[in-house]
Amino acid sequence: MKKIVIAVMLIAGIVTLSACSSGKSDPDVVVKTKAGDIKKEDFYNKMKDQYGENVLQEMVIVKVLGDKYNVSDKEVDKKVKTIKDQLGDQFQGYLQQQGYADEKDFRNQVKNSLLMEKAIFSNVKVTDKEMKEQYNRMKTDLKASHILVKDEKTAKDVQKKLDKGEDFAKLAKKYSTDTASAEKGGELGWFSAGSMVPQFEDAAYKMKKGEISKPVKSDYGYHIIKLEDTRKSENDVGSFEDNKDKIKNDVRNQKLPSDKQQEKLNKILKDADIKIEIKQFKDMFKDLDKQTKAAQ
């Protein structure tokens, strides 16, 4: 994502360099050296070839979403303040490490992220009850095992074997595509809320000790989960108020997994009737339907 931002800034710099030229300078030249000049057109074409697709894609998405949703300066201020409070004296170092030119550049990216959130989760409602349930999850650690397979048919076949009483650990070693845990009979060890993919985590926290789940779909495939144990979290999770933003985000992701988020974005872009006039990128948004199906 940072390549996109950097490239946008560099392309914008073409205008700045031209504006600073004196009357005697060639307006088409952006850099002069004894070895020769670099012209605006050459610079633009180089940037277009290297970063053009990502830059243009982000610009189109921001333009389309900005027409339907609004992010206020107050919302950006709040988000930036939260991040500053978390990072403290390390904030400026963080900006440099992530490739931001300055705080203004960072604020712009925060605004785009908030715009994306509004668009994706516009119809996802989160209740106080759901947020408090998620907070309680944060105060509880789970110990679980799983069998991860690529497709639903294999997951159902494994489920039938478990229903017949076959050993979970042996089936994990035989079928699980998560090789690291498969060697240990599917054991994942202890984990806290927020450390697993939303679909897995939501299912696991609803289970009882010793229970084995039905197949649970995630971006990684299909999980069959066995809840081994629970305990009070060893981490200081802080107060409910301090965690409200994170809690809300976690609940929303559980309600709308990543494949559905992609589907929602694709539909918004398709409805915008995008037509790219640059031949090199004219097919950028052509296969939105195929992308949606691939995400499912």
Side-chain angles (χ1 to χ4, degrees), residues 59-75:
M59 291 176 72
V60 171
I61 290 173
V62 170
K63 175 69 73 174
V64 170
L65 299 186
D67 185 53
K68 298 172 68 69
Y69 304 94
N70 179 60
V71 174
S72 68
D73 290 340
K74 186 176 180 180
E75 290 173 294

mmCIF file of all heavy atoms in Angstrom, residues 59-75:
data_model
loop_
_atom_site.group_PDB
_atom_site.id
_atom_site.type_symbol
_atom_site.label_atom_id
_atom_site.label_comp_id
_atom_site.label_asym_id
_atom_site.label_seq_id
_atom_site.Cartn_x
_atom_site.Cartn_y
_atom_site.Cartn_z
ATOM 1 N N MET A 59 -6.740 5.545 -6.584
ATOM 2 C CA MET A 59 -7.400 6.806 -6.877
ATOM 3 C C MET A 59 -8.857 6.593 -7.295
ATOM 4 O O MET A 59 -9.758 7.329 -6.875
ATOM 5 C CB MET A 59 -6.640 7.558 -7.975
ATOM 6 C CG MET A 59 -5.283 8.078 -7.539
ATOM 7 S SD MET A 59 -4.359 8.872 -8.892
ATOM 8 C CE MET A 59 -5.292 10.390 -9.082
ATOM 9 N N VAL A 60 -9.089 5.563 -8.108
ATOM 10 C CA VAL A 60 -10.457 5.260 -8.553
ATOM 11 C C VAL A 60 -11.318 4.833 -7.379
ATOM 12 O O VAL A 60 -12.456 5.290 -7.219
ATOM 13 C CB VAL A 60 -10.449 4.165 -9.641
ATOM 14 C CG1 VAL A 60 -11.876 3.690 -9.938
ATOM 15 C CG2 VAL A 60 -9.800 4.680 -10.915
ATOM 16 N N ILE A 61 -10.786 3.948 -6.537
ATOM 17 C CA ILE A 61 -11.547 3.459 -5.389
ATOM 18 C C ILE A 61 -11.909 4.610 -4.453
ATOM 19 O O ILE A 61 -13.056 4.729 -4.000
ATOM 20 C CB ILE A 61 -10.748 2.374 -4.631
ATOM 21 C CG1 ILE A 61 -10.666 1.100 -5.490
ATOM 22 C CG2 ILE A 61 -11.404 2.053 -3.286
ATOM 23 C CD1 ILE A 61 -9.761 0.029 -4.922
ATOM 24 N N VAL A 62 -10.935 5.475 -4.162
ATOM 25 C CA VAL A 62 -11.190 6.627 -3.288
ATOM 26 C C VAL A 62 -12.233 7.556 -3.905
ATOM 27 O O VAL A 62 -13.122 8.065 -3.220
ATOM 28 C CB VAL A 62 -9.883 7.402 -2.998
ATOM 29 C CG1 VAL A 62 -10.175 8.722 -2.304
ATOM 30 C CG2 VAL A 62 -8.944 6.543 -2.133
ATOM 31 N N LYS A 63 -12.138 7.771 -5.224
ATOM 32 C CA LYS A 63 -13.095 8.638 -5.923
ATOM 33 C C LYS A 63 -14.514 8.058 -5.849
ATOM 34 O O LYS A 63 -15.478 8.767 -5.533
ATOM 35 C CB LYS A 63 -12.674 8.805 -7.379
ATOM 36 C CG LYS A 63 -13.649 9.588 -8.246
ATOM 37 C CD LYS A 63 -13.694 11.058 -7.872
ATOM 38 C CE LYS A 63 -12.446 11.767 -8.325
ATOM 39 N NZ LYS A 63 -12.527 13.238 -8.095
ATOM 40 N N VAL A 64 -14.643 6.766 -6.114
ATOM 41 C CA VAL A 64 -15.965 6.113 -6.113
ATOM 42 C C VAL A 64 -16.561 6.084 -4.712
ATOM 43 O O VAL A 64 -17.733 6.431 -4.508
ATOM 44 C CB VAL A 64 -15.856 4.679 -6.682
ATOM 45 C CG1 VAL A 64 -17.165 3.917 -6.464
ATOM 46 C CG2 VAL A 64 -15.517 4.723 -8.167
ATOM 47 N N LEU A 65 -15.761 5.688 -3.726
ATOM 48 C CA LEU A 65 -16.269 5.602 -2.361
ATOM 49 C C LEU A 65 -16.560 6.992 -1.792
ATOM 50 O O LEU A 65 -17.524 7.176 -1.046
ATOM 51 C CB LEU A 65 -15.271 4.864 -1.461
ATOM 52 C CG LEU A 65 -14.950 3.419 -1.830
ATOM 53 C CD1 LEU A 65 -14.060 2.780 -0.766
ATOM 54 C CD2 LEU A 65 -16.204 2.593 -2.020
ATOM 55 N N GLY A 66 -15.718 7.964 -2.156
ATOM 56 C CA GLY A 66 -15.907 9.326 -1.660
ATOM 57 C C GLY A 66 -17.180 9.974 -2.158
ATOM 58 O O GLY A 66 -17.696 10.918 -1.550
ATOM 59 N N ASP A 67 -17.709 9.452 -3.269
ATOM 60 C CA ASP A 67 -18.961 9.972 -3.808
ATOM 61 C C ASP A 67 -20.172 9.466 -3.024
ATOM 62 O O ASP A 67 -21.236 10.088 -3.046
ATOM 63 C CB ASP A 67 -19.092 9.563 -5.277
ATOM 64 C CG ASP A 67 -20.312 10.172 -5.951
ATOM 65 O OD1 ASP A 67 -20.460 11.412 -5.885
ATOM 66 O OD2 ASP A 67 -21.110 9.413 -6.518
ATOM 67 N N LYS A 68 -19.990 8.361 -2.316
ATOM 68 C CA LYS A 68 -21.111 7.744 -1.585
ATOM 69 C C LYS A 68 -21.003 7.898 -0.071
ATOM 70 O O LYS A 68 -22.002 7.859 0.638
ATOM 71 C CB LYS A 68 -21.189 6.239 -1.924
ATOM 72 C CG LYS A 68 -21.459 5.947 -3.395
ATOM 73 C CD LYS A 68 -21.327 4.472 -3.708
ATOM 74 C CE LYS A 68 -22.435 3.649 -3.060
ATOM 75 N NZ LYS A 68 -23.748 3.895 -3.661
ATOM 76 N N TYR A 69 -19.763 8.054 0.417
ATOM 77 C CA TYR A 69 -19.546 8.108 1.863
ATOM 78 C C TYR A 69 -18.651 9.294 2.205
ATOM 79 O O TYR A 69 -17.874 9.759 1.376
ATOM 80 C CB TYR A 69 -18.909 6.806 2.369
ATOM 81 C CG TYR A 69 -19.712 5.580 2.000
ATOM 82 C CD1 TYR A 69 -19.410 4.860 0.845
ATOM 83 C CD2 TYR A 69 -20.772 5.155 2.787
ATOM 84 C CE1 TYR A 69 -20.152 3.730 0.485
ATOM 85 C CE2 TYR A 69 -21.514 4.035 2.443
ATOM 86 C CZ TYR A 69 -21.199 3.333 1.292
ATOM 87 O OH TYR A 69 -21.939 2.243 0.935
ATOM 88 N N ASN A 70 -18.741 9.752 3.442
ATOM 89 C CA ASN A 70 -17.967 10.917 3.872
ATOM 90 C C ASN A 70 -17.209 10.615 5.157
ATOM 91 O O ASN A 70 -17.750 10.002 6.084
ATOM 92 C CB ASN A 70 -18.898 12.112 4.100
ATOM 93 C CG ASN A 70 -18.130 13.333 4.576
ATOM 94 O OD1 ASN A 70 -17.246 13.824 3.882
ATOM 95 N ND2 ASN A 70 -18.463 13.806 5.765
ATOM 96 N N VAL A 71 -15.955 11.035 5.197
ATOM 97 C CA VAL A 71 -15.136 10.928 6.412
ATOM 98 C C VAL A 71 -14.762 12.344 6.828
ATOM 99 O O VAL A 71 -14.134 13.073 6.066
ATOM 100 C CB VAL A 71 -13.861 10.099 6.159
ATOM 101 C CG1 VAL A 71 -12.963 10.129 7.401
ATOM 102 C CG2 VAL A 71 -14.224 8.664 5.802
ATOM 103 N N SER A 72 -15.151 12.738 8.026
ATOM 104 C CA SER A 72 -14.896 14.098 8.505
ATOM 105 C C SER A 72 -13.482 14.236 9.072
ATOM 106 O O SER A 72 -12.842 13.246 9.436
ATOM 107 C CB SER A 72 -15.912 14.467 9.586
ATOM 108 O OG SER A 72 -15.701 13.686 10.752
ATOM 109 N N ASP A 73 -13.019 15.482 9.144
ATOM 110 C CA ASP A 73 -11.717 15.752 9.764
ATOM 111 C C ASP A 73 -11.710 15.312 11.217
ATOM 112 O O ASP A 73 -10.682 14.858 11.740
ATOM 113 C CB ASP A 73 -11.394 17.250 9.675
ATOM 114 C CG ASP A 73 -11.096 17.699 8.256
ATOM 115 O OD1 ASP A 73 -10.776 16.832 7.417
ATOM 116 O OD2 ASP A 73 -11.176 18.911 7.979
ATOM 117 N N LYS A 74 -12.865 15.420 11.867
ATOM 118 C CA LYS A 74 -12.976 15.025 13.276
ATOM 119 C C LYS A 74 -12.723 13.524 13.434
ATOM 120 O O LYS A 74 -12.057 13.090 14.389
ATOM 121 C CB LYS A 74 -14.369 15.386 13.806
ATOM 122 C CG LYS A 74 -14.544 15.154 15.295
ATOM 123 C CD LYS A 74 -15.922 15.634 15.744
ATOM 124 C CE LYS A 74 -16.095 15.400 17.254
ATOM 125 N NZ LYS A 74 -17.442 15.856 17.708
ATOM 126 N N GLU A 75 -13.241 12.744 12.506
ATOM 127 C CA GLU A 75 -13.030 11.296 12.559
ATOM 128 C C GLU A 75 -11.557 10.956 12.341
ATOM 129 O O GLU A 75 -11.011 10.060 13.004
ATOM 130 C CB GLU A 75 -13.896 10.606 11.506
ATOM 131 C CG GLU A 75 -15.381 10.629 11.803
ATOM 132 C CD GLU A 75 -16.200 10.082 10.650
ATOM 133 O OE1 GLU A 75 -16.203 10.721 9.574
ATOM 134 O OE2 GLU A 75 -16.840 9.031 10.821
#
